[in-house]
Amino acid sequence: GAVVSQHPSRVICKSGTSVKIECRSLDFQATTMFWYRQFPKQSLMLMATSNEGSKATYEQGVEKDKFLINHASLTLSTLTVTSAHPEDSSFYICSARHSRGTNYGYTFGSGTRLTVV
Amino acid sequence: AQSVTQLDSQVPVFEEAPVELRCNYSSSVSVYLFWYVQYPNQGLQLLLKYLSGSTLVKGINGFEAEFNKSQTSFHLRKPSVHISDTAEYFCAVMNTGFQKLVFGTGTRLLVSP
């Protein structure tokens, strides 16, 4: 249980275009999802916390107009990288918080490798 | 605020040897602790977690970790590693208010024959 599906797994786009990444909780409702960015051989950097039905909370230094987050339903959050540039190339990972009884935890998606050319 | 330190960026080990990956945390409040594994170009998979109760936690793939409150540590151990254990391992901490996870910088485990 507690499966998170992230699509696409890999995307290449031209500089200046926008890319949407989807994160779905398949067998549970996720009122809160998280978006991370991971640079090569580095740790995960939290970009924003996505709350269903309300605005996302962005971490310091993350441009909210560049990285648009929408959490319109209890099972879907999307991250849109707008007007992408080569420096936006990275590995993006989403996660969803779940709680079943006392079993709290986070489940991660399989990640999206974004390459901007 | 919480922080996590993984002192070893890379740990080389031979197959079937034991291994310990170190994790120390800093927090002014009670925390939950996690270990995740990441294979190349994939997301994170939970190995084990400490929420409460027994300080020795057993996880998947033969891994275990021990929560030591006095030393603020949560080291990961496996008595005999396999080639397939080669991956990046992340320690993470979260306050018991169940807010965001804070990750360490990761430790690359390299298992050779």
Side-chain angles (χ1 to χ4, degrees):
Chain A
V3 178
V4 169
S5 173
Q6 185 175 342
H7 291 283
S9 59
R10 188 179 296 266
V11 60
I12 301 173
C13 71
K14 290 185 177 180
S15 186
T17 61
S18 296
V19 173
K20 180 184 285 188
I21 303 170
E22 292 189 347
C23 182
R24 293 179 184 273
S25 57
L26 297 185
D27 54 356
F28 65 102
Q29 293 182 333
T31 55
T32 304
M33 292 186 174
F34 304 86
W35 288 95
Y36 295 85
R37 182 173 181 176
Q38 185 178 32
F39 293 99
K41 298 185 179 180
Q42 293 189 29
S43 189
L44 282 74
M45 179 191 77
L46 180 65
M47 299 173 65
T49 302
S50 169
N51 301 297
E52 187 269 334
S54 64
K55 291 183 179 180
T57 304
Y58 290 82
E59 296 298 303
Q60 194 171 12
V62 178
E63 299 176 62
K64 59 181 67 177
D65 294 330
K66 159 72 96 175
F67 300 100
L68 299 179
I69 291 173
N70 184 278
H71 195 156
S73 78
L74 287 171
T75 59
L76 174 64
S77 175
T78 61
L79 167 68
T80 301
V81 183
T82 63
S83 186
H85 292 285
E87 58 265 29
D88 299 324
S89 298
S90 193
F91 194 58
Y92 294 87
I93 306 176
C94 70
S95 76
R97 188 168 68 195
H98 60 90
S99 59
R100 295 180 176 176
T102 58
N103 186 23
Y104 298 102
Y106 291 81
T107 297
F108 287 79
S110 54
T112 298
R113 171 75 58 193
L114 170 63
T115 303
V116 184
V117 297
Chain B
Q2 294 78 47
S3 67
V4 179
T5 301
Q6 291 182 250
L7 288 173
D8 306 306
S9 60
Q10 188 166 293
V11 173
V13 64
F14 289 109
E15 192 175 20
E16 297 184 6
V19 71
E20 178 179 83
L21 305 184
R22 296 181 293 169
C23 172
N24 288 89
Y25 69 93
S26 173
S27 177
S28 58
V29 298
S30 297
V31 296
Y32 298 138
L33 294 155
F34 305 80
W35 273 101
Y36 288 88
V37 60
Q38 185 182 33
Y39 299 100
N41 291 313
Q42 294 187 29
L44 275 67
Q45 180 182 8
L46 180 67
L47 279 177
L48 47 79
K49 60 189 175 187
Y50 172 78
L51 303 181
S52 65
S54 173
T55 56
L56 182 62
V57 181
K58 293 190 183 295
I60 63 171
N61 300 342
F63 285 93
E64 65 179 32
E66 185 156 19
F67 171 54
N68 188 317
K69 189 174 182 178
S70 63
Q71 296 185 7
T72 60
S73 68
F74 191 55
H75 301 330
L76 180 70
R77 294 189 290 260
K78 185 169 182 177
S80 176
V81 295
H82 302 290
I83 297 287
S84 59
D85 292 322
T86 295
E88 192 82 22
Y89 291 80
F90 292 97
C91 181
V93 64
M94 179 178 64
N95 67 30
T96 54
F98 205 48
Q99 296 174 357
K100 54 192 177 185
L101 274 172
V102 175
F103 286 89
T105 49
T107 297
R108 172 160 288 281
L109 176 62
L110 292 168
V111 183
S112 55

